[in-house]
Amino acid sequence: MSEPALREAARTTLRPARAARARATDAPDGSGRLAAVDGLRLLAAVAVAAYHFLGTPTPRFWGEHHDLPQAAPLLHAVSGYGWLGVEAFFLISGFVICMSCWGRTPARFAVSRIARLFPLYWAVVLIVVAMGTVTVLAGQRSGAPTDLRTTLGNLTMIPGPLGVDFTAGVAWTLWVEARFYLLMGALLLIGLTYLRVVAFGFLWLVLASVGRELDSAVLDELLLSQYAGLFVAGIACYLMHRFGPNLLLWLLTGFAWCYTLTVLDDRVATHPTSNWVVSASVLTGFLVLLALAALSRLRHLSWPALVHAGALTYPFYLVHQSVGIPVSRGALKSLPSLGLLPSVAAGLLFSLLLAAVLNRQVDRRLGPLLRRRLTAALDPAPAPQRTETEGQDGGPAHHPPHRLARERLRSNGRAPFG
């Protein structure tokens, strides 16, 4: 057999296998969920929580008599890099959202995101406001705004652009995510293909770079110039997972990561205890873990515990700062003998238990209900039309005598008055 014939036979053999793998791993119903990626979500959430509880650079964060650097110097130093968990979340989001988009229409993608994010977010906002209100009524100072205007603004999930403070401190990242979803939705309107997604990734990075060069606040907001490289790197990892690694995707990943590590210095500058080299190394390590989860044997991992942990990540992330930290402070104040680290552990444990309750009572119940209702609303059935024999109350219609007379004339074959 000639060499061209052998190549064609190889392509014919491999094409169905690749298509089958793509269908198996990327079904829109979620059957292709990767447990290893859920484990990375948990790792990112733990890192962020460690930063807020143990790594915060705020002096005397837990009070005058509790100094973190002295109580746990090593733990404080390591946790000081936990803010990189936010970057890790954006990296994972690029992977997961590209997976979620594939095979969906823009409308169904929007429904999936709304049903996934909003019920838990609404519940947490109301919980934080309720806690703050009780605290104010008890004569104490609330750490979260509780007025009606701020609460209404937060229920939209875009309080920043509306000019109000965040009720849940970590919710600023959801606004970043929402703008990423809008960009992916725009790509869905054009149509999702391998080459279009690759071109989208390169174009996004170039335009984000232009926005930084022009120092354009508008372009920075629209194109997420600080985080574009993270999202694109996650997208490239997903394309490798779906279609297999190739030179083009490695180039996209390399371009995105060079961009990411370059602009990372802006974030490092806002965390004075962090070092760029260490931060870049930690974040690169996380990219390696995501690549292993997507491309190695870890993609076949099927531990239900990791999947469940992944489901708890979002509610835990929402509550750990705005609910967990007040619980730890309350424990320190009411039980001083408990000590700092046990009080921190109590706040984290309470946050985890609350996350489990929210996942069971809100996410598993209201999420699917909202998804079904919104899906039905995408293609509503026509409203039933009233017939002439039905009145407004659903009963027989009541016609005036002259109309009844005309109807009788018509039924006898004669026109009225003629």
Side-chain angles (χ1 to χ4, degrees):
M1 185 180 291
S2 64
E3 185 176 347
L6 286 171
R7 289 177 180 171
E8 181 60 27
R11 281 196 295 267
T12 305
T13 303
L14 291 173
R15 194 177 295 122
R18 287 180 179 176
R21 186 181 72 173
R23 286 192 298 269
T25 58
D26 304 301
D29 61 3
S31 59
R33 192 176 186 111
L34 300 177
V37 175
D38 282 319
L40 293 181
R41 280 176 170 157
L42 177 64
L43 181 60
V46 169
V48 175
Y51 175 76
H52 286 142
F53 278 80
L54 299 168
T56 174
T58 304
R60 307 292 179 180
F61 179 76
W62 293 106
E64 290 297 326
H65 304 293
H66 302 284
D67 189 15
L68 266 174
Q70 291 184 1
L74 180 60
L75 197 58
H76 175 68
V78 172
S79 299
Y81 287 91
W83 60 271
L84 289 164
V86 172
E87 267 68 6
F89 271 126
F90 294 150
L91 177 64
I92 295 170
S93 184
F95 183 100
V96 172
I97 296 306
C98 192
M99 175 186 285
S100 179
C101 282
W102 222 279
R104 279 195 170 109
T105 64
R108 292 189 180 276
F109 170 67
V111 165
S112 71
R113 292 296 89 200
I114 292 170
R116 174 73 181 99
L117 297 180
F118 271 96
L120 280 170
Y121 174 75
W122 286 333
V124 170
V125 167
L126 296 178
I127 288 172
V128 173
V129 170
M131 287 180 58
T133 302
V134 171
T135 302
V136 171
L137 292 176
Q140 303 293 323
R141 178 180 172 272
S142 172
T146 58
D147 62 282
L148 181 59
R149 177 177 174 269
T150 300
T151 302
L152 293 175
N154 273 268
L155 290 175
T156 66
M157 205 183 278
I158 52 171
L162 296 179
V164 296
D165 295 330
F166 288 96
T167 298
V170 297
W172 68 269
T173 59
L174 301 182
W175 174 228
V176 176
E177 289 277 351
R179 284 174 283 169
F180 171 52
Y181 299 161
L182 288 175
L183 292 173
M184 292 301 291
L187 183 59
L188 274 175
L189 289 173
I190 301 171
L192 216 60
T193 66
Y194 166 78
L195 287 179
R196 285 174 182 170
V197 176
V198 171
F200 169 78
F202 279 113
L203 182 62
W204 186 3
L205 292 174
V206 170
L207 292 178
S209 302
V210 171
R212 293 180 69 86
E213 183 180 19
L214 296 176
D215 197 20
S216 170
V218 174
L219 288 179
D220 284 346
E221 287 294 310
L222 290 176
L223 299 175
L224 304 169
S225 64
Q226 184 63 51
Y227 307 107
L230 293 163
F231 289 120
V232 173
I235 290 171
C237 284
Y238 172 70
L239 292 177
M240 290 186 192
H241 169 74
R242 183 179 177 90
F243 297 101
N246 60 54
L247 180 58
L248 183 61
L249 293 179
W250 284 121
L251 285 174
L252 178 59
T253 305
F255 184 19
W257 209 245
C258 288
Y259 178 101
T260 293
L261 296 186
T262 303
V263 302
L264 181 64
D265 191 59
D266 294 344
R267 288 274 283 157
V268 171
T270 65
H271 298 85
T273 61
S274 297
N275 173 274
W276 181 87
V277 174
V278 176
S279 300
S281 301
V282 171
L283 197 54
T284 301
F286 210 95
L287 175 65
V288 171
L289 290 177
L290 179 61
L292 289 174
L295 302 176
S296 72
R297 293 181 179 179
L298 289 175
R299 70 180 185 271
H300 302 301
L301 196 66
S302 58
W303 289 355
L306 282 180
V307 176
H308 184 62
L312 294 182
T313 297
Y314 179 48
F316 175 79
Y317 178 74
L318 288 177
V319 303
H320 79 272
Q321 184 181 29
S322 298
V323 176
I325 287 179
V327 168
S328 292
R329 283 179 169 159
L332 268 177
K333 186 175 181 179
S334 57
L335 297 170
S337 59
L338 190 60
L340 177 58
L341 294 182
S343 298
V344 166
L348 289 170
L349 179 60
F350 182 85
S351 299
L352 185 60
L353 293 175
L354 180 58
V357 172
L358 288 170
N359 172 252
R360 188 177 186 86
Q361 301 299 326
V362 178
D363 195 26
R364 294 188 187 180
R365 294 187 179 186
L366 295 184
L369 176 62
L370 184 59
R371 181 178 287 108
R372 287 194 301 269
R373 295 292 180 88
L374 287 175
T375 301
L378 294 177
D379 187 21
Q385 300 294 321
R386 284 189 298 124
T387 64
E388 289 191 0
T389 59
E390 291 180 339
Q392 294 182 356
D393 59 355
H398 301 285
H399 300 300
H402 65 274
R403 181 173 177 182
L404 293 174
R406 285 198 300 269
E407 293 295 332
R408 290 193 192 100
L409 288 172
R410 285 197 187 98
S411 65
N412 292 330
R414 291 183 295 167
F417 310 112

